Amino acid sequence: MLDQAVQPESETARKVRKVLGKFEEALRARDVDAAASMFLADSYWRDLVAFTWNIKTVEGPDAVRGMLAEQLSAIEPSGFDLQEGEEPAEEGGVTTAWITFETKAGRGWGLLRLKDGKIWTLLTALQELKGFEEAKGFDRPMGARHGADKNRSSWKEQREAEAAELGRTVQPYVVVVGGGQGGIALGARLRQLGVPALVLDRHERPGDQWRNRYKSLCLHDPVWYDHLPYIKFPENWPVFAPKDKIGDWLEMYTKVMELNYWTKTTVRSASYDEAAGEWTVEVDRDGETLTLKPKQLVLATGMSGKPNRPKFPGMEDFRGTIQHSSEHSGPDEWTGKKVVVVGSNNSAHDICAALWENDVDVTMVQRSSTHIVKSDSLMEIGLGALYSEQAVRNGMTTEKADMIFASLPYRIMHEFQKPIYDEIRERDADFYKALEKAGFDLDFGDDDSGLFMKYLRRGSGYYIDVGASQLIIDGKVKLAKGGVERFVEDGIVLGDGTKLEADLVVLATGYGSMNGWAADLISQEVADKVGKVWGLGSDTTKDPGPWEGEQRNMWKPTQQEALWFHGGNLHQSRHYSLYLALQLKARMEGLDTPVYALQQPHHLG
């Protein structure tokens, strides 16, 4: 039988290979000027740990030159090539190609976009460390130990021994504070890399972070966007999973991924000894006081983890109940009563809808304009190309979708988002007119770029509509507008003098920066040393400059040695947990990790 003829390489592939060859030649020669000259004046190189041991975007040839001048000798990049089986594509004058490469420390892949023969955008991402690859595929563990061996211990006995020792007679290399989706995803990554880690959480069971929230809570992002590392949701998993189902999945995940996960554990304090290069973490584990001595400390307490509880005059005189949205368990005990919800974003809408369904007289207080996008429109227009059943059937994998999304530089991402929300605004014009007629104040972000940019810049200011907006349109959920001036015995008074009677006031007032947890657990000095966590520095509402171009202090080194922040939605927890885990593993193994452009502190707490 004759071998199948090898398909000739396309002209586009040859063009990309030529660029990659020239680029590698310049890097090998340490000719940073030649390498930088291959980038357009308006260009962006986003690196996820591979070149910078950081998460960093450099913009323009001068910034490329500066980064390479500092990093090349330590990184030693080589082997740039087209990814096997991936044909470059050309569209609208842009050539897009999946690439692979190596560095002294590891192997990576990325996405390259060429325009006019030069590099427009480049994403480089470290995928594994040489000599410390995950045991998977052909290298997966055998599991069963064949043959005869006296006094052998079973898998169960080994796990029980490990659980008994870690944190007591054996110290973890990493302590992860917070066992929600972020801590769990990172714990799984570290486990697969052989990094001894403890995940600490105050709840009774993994997943209680979801179970204990208001009963109507469900994911507003579709299932294709929400997979955890290693184990994807099954094909019959609902598009929008209810909170208790997510809680059960997270609990299952901690068991099958063999995480060392301490429940009912509260961190009392943490301090860093620079001379010893280790943390002292004092914890209360179900009434027992223990001292942990990790080398690395990760705060995975949630990007939306520290409740913002504003203080208003007269709160002590209010005869009813005041809850933050994070404390609100549901509507059941409020049937037939009056509830005021202060806020108009995701949680406020969900809570108001559930209260109305349970015959509660509910009023939403809108303090500032809110971006609303209908769930089906977001799925079809905003996410469909990357995260949908159709995308899966078109050959899109979760990993490729994550990389495509990561390859769009934050500096210009709003330009890609605006047309999406222009289309949504046109499609749902009648819906938006009805909301405005009801008195609801709408916005699409400072520059009309919609939900994703609001989330990345400030993490608030939006609602993905799954039904509550119609209740506002129909007047079933009452709408009041303005700031809260004070509480009185039987309700609240707004700035214009409007009085709203209430048995319960829910403060759906959002969450503070994650460095607030650093202040609580470590010190205000360390929190200020780190600076603001989250936001891009876009100089838009609630995201003050200067421009950073990445999520501030997330998943990367901070000004406080050996302190890291991890969190975000399920997508971010999945994707960025890899890069944080690789950074931690590299340090554990003593690899050279020269960090380029360490995050500067801004907007202290």
Side-chain angles (χ1 to χ4, degrees), residues 385-423:
L386 297 180
Y387 302 100
S388 68
E389 190 62 33
Q390 189 60 53
V392 171
R393 298 191 181 203
N394 290 341
M396 181 63 68
T397 66
T398 303
E399 293 74 21
K400 285 176 66 175
D402 289 349
M403 288 287 281
I404 292 170
F405 193 77
S407 73
L408 292 175
Y410 289 132
R411 175 75 82 175
I412 60 174
M413 185 178 282
H414 65 284
E415 296 175 12
F416 291 84
Q417 293 294 308
K418 282 181 182 179
I420 292 172
Y421 289 93
D422 287 344
E423 184 177 349

Side-chain angles (χ1 to χ4, degrees), residues 263-578:
T263 57
K264 295 185 277 189
T265 302
T266 303
V267 177
R268 298 301 185 194
S269 66
S271 59
Y272 187 67
D273 184 333
E274 291 189 14
E278 71 180 17
W279 290 90
T280 298
V281 183
E282 302 288 347
V283 306
D284 180 322
R285 188 185 185 193
D286 197 18
E288 181 184 10
T289 299
L290 293 167
T291 301
L292 303 174
K293 295 280 190 176
K295 297 296 185 182
Q296 309 286 340
L297 182 64
V298 180
L299 298 187
T301 45
M303 187 275 286
S304 298
K306 188 171 179 59
N308 178 28
R309 292 184 174 89
K311 301 294 184 183
F312 298 106
M315 290 178 100
E316 66 280 1
D317 299 324
F318 181 54
R319 294 197 302 258
T321 301
I322 304 172
Q323 298 174 337
H324 187 267
S325 58
S326 60
E327 302 162 329
H328 179 69
S329 60
D332 294 352
E333 63 183 292
W334 304 104
T335 298
K337 297 184 179 180
K338 293 183 177 180
V339 177
V340 171
V341 178
V342 179
S344 57
N345 296 334
N346 261 338
S347 294
H349 279 82
D350 284 348
I351 291 169
C352 284
L355 289 165
W356 177 83
E357 289 177 345
N358 282 263
D359 298 319
V360 178
D361 181 342
V362 58
T363 302
M364 175 189 290
V365 177
Q366 185 179 30
R367 299 178 299 162
S368 58
S369 63
T370 308
H371 173 52
I372 308 288
V373 59
K374 298 183 77 170
S375 176
D376 56 351
S377 298
L378 179 64
M379 283 180 59
E380 293 174 27
I381 302 173
L383 290 171
L386 297 180
Y387 302 100
S388 68
E389 190 62 33
Q390 189 60 53
V392 171
R393 298 191 181 203
N394 290 341
M396 181 63 68
T397 66
T398 303
E399 293 74 21
K400 285 176 66 175
D402 289 349
M403 288 287 281
I404 292 170
F405 193 77
S407 73
L408 292 175
Y410 289 132
R411 175 75 82 175
I412 60 174
M413 185 178 282
H414 65 284
E415 296 175 12
F416 291 84
Q417 293 294 308
K418 282 181 182 179
I420 292 172
Y421 289 93
D422 287 344
E423 184 177 349
I424 288 174
R425 185 151 39 181
E426 182 177 346
R427 165 178 163 155
D428 298 324
D430 291 342
F431 167 73
Y432 291 121
K433 286 178 183 177
L435 268 175
E436 290 177 326
K437 185 177 179 181
F440 196 89
D441 290 336
L442 292 166
D443 71 63
F444 279 75
D446 287 17
D447 52 6
D448 291 334
S449 58
L451 185 146
F452 283 120
M453 296 312 301
K454 266 203 165 189
Y455 173 71
L456 293 168
R457 290 165 173 170
R458 53 183 281 190
S460 65
Y462 52 83
Y463 167 57
I464 302 173
D465 179 40
V466 292
S469 289
Q470 192 61 46
L471 296 177
I472 294 171
I473 290 169
D474 295 339
K476 295 173 180 177
V477 169
K478 300 172 187 174
L479 180 65
K481 289 158 61 172
V484 177
E485 184 177 278
R486 67 184 187 277
F487 276 68
V488 292
E489 287 186 349
D490 57 348
I492 64 171
V493 177
L494 303 182
D496 64 359
T498 300
K499 179 183 174 183
L500 302 173
E501 294 183 357
D503 300 293
L504 166 69
V505 175
V506 179
L507 300 175
T509 46
Y511 298 84
S513 172
M514 284 180 70
N515 68 341
W517 288 111
D520 290 350
L521 301 179
I522 308 170
S523 68
Q524 187 63 53
E525 180 184 6
V526 167
D528 288 345
K529 185 177 181 180
V530 169
K532 181 177 172 64
V533 179
W534 203 262
L536 306 175
S538 63
D539 205 22
T540 57
T541 303
K542 295 189 178 181
D543 184 28
W547 176 249
E548 172 61 24
E550 294 289 346
Q551 294 292 344
R552 282 182 172 146
N553 287 307
M554 292 296 294
W555 318 296
K556 58 185 178 180
T558 68
Q559 289 286 341
Q560 172 57 55
E561 185 179 353
L563 176 64
W564 312 76
F565 293 87
H566 175 60
N569 57 29
L570 280 158
H571 156 260
Q572 290 170 309
S573 295
R574 170 186 69 245
H575 183 62
Y576 289 101
S577 58
L578 171 62

Side-chain angles (χ1 to χ4, degrees), residues 66-301:
M67 184 272 282
L68 291 176
E70 284 195 29
Q71 298 297 104
L72 263 184
S73 59
I75 301 304
E76 298 182 12
S78 63
F80 282 85
D81 201 355
L82 289 172
Q83 189 172 29
E84 187 175 351
E86 296 289 347
E87 176 67 22
E90 286 195 272
E91 184 178 355
V94 176
T95 302
T96 303
W98 292 99
I99 65 170
T100 57
F101 63 92
E102 294 189 11
T103 67
K104 179 181 179 181
R107 302 176 188 88
W109 69 320
L111 195 61
L112 170 71
R113 293 187 183 93
L114 301 175
K115 191 188 290 186
D116 299 326
K118 288 197 169 187
I119 299 172
W120 176 37
T121 73
L122 174 61
L123 172 68
T124 49
L126 187 66
Q127 287 299 108
E128 61 182 5
L129 298 170
K130 293 177 179 177
F132 307 104
E133 297 84 356
E134 292 186 17
K136 60 184 180 180
F138 287 111
D139 298 318
R140 73 172 70 224
M142 184 63 69
R145 291 168 57 192
H146 297 156
D149 184 7
K150 288 185 177 181
N151 302 316
R152 77 164 69 189
S153 56
S154 67
W155 170 86
K156 182 174 183 291
E157 290 168 334
Q158 292 172 12
R159 281 290 295 135
E160 288 173 344
E162 179 186 26
E165 294 169 356
L166 195 62
R168 296 179 183 275
T169 59
V170 176
Q171 286 300 318
Y173 182 75
V174 179
V175 161
V176 181
V177 181
Q181 63 214 30
I184 286 172
L186 179 60
R189 297 281 196 190
L190 293 171
R191 180 77 182 177
Q192 298 310 302
L193 285 169
V195 178
L198 265 179
V199 181
L200 312 180
D201 195 83
R202 61 185 175 85
H203 295 91
E204 289 193 12
R205 295 163 57 196
D208 278 352
Q209 305 85 351
W210 286 85
R211 294 188 192 95
N212 294 345
R213 296 292 303 279
Y214 53 91
K215 75 176 188 178
S216 62
L217 177 65
C218 66
L219 283 175
H220 288 209
D221 297 319
V223 61
W224 306 276
Y225 187 73
D226 295 329
H227 297 298
L228 289 176
Y230 308 110
I231 306 176
K232 291 182 170 62
F233 293 115
E235 290 187 1
N236 61 353
W237 195 262
V239 175
F240 301 108
K243 69 179 182 73
D244 296 283
K245 193 172 181 68
I246 288 292
D248 289 348
W249 182 267
L250 292 174
E251 185 172 26
M252 176 278 298
Y253 188 90
T254 63
K255 293 178 180 178
V256 299
M257 295 304 296
E258 303 178 16
L259 303 194
N260 292 302
Y261 189 106
W262 283 8
T263 57
K264 295 185 277 189
T265 302
T266 303
V267 177
R268 298 301 185 194
S269 66
S271 59
Y272 187 67
D273 184 333
E274 291 189 14
E278 71 180 17
W279 290 90
T280 298
V281 183
E282 302 288 347
V283 306
D284 180 322
R285 188 185 185 193
D286 197 18
E288 181 184 10
T289 299
L290 293 167
T291 301
L292 303 174
K293 295 280 190 176
K295 297 296 185 182
Q296 309 286 340
L297 182 64
V298 180
L299 298 187
T301 45

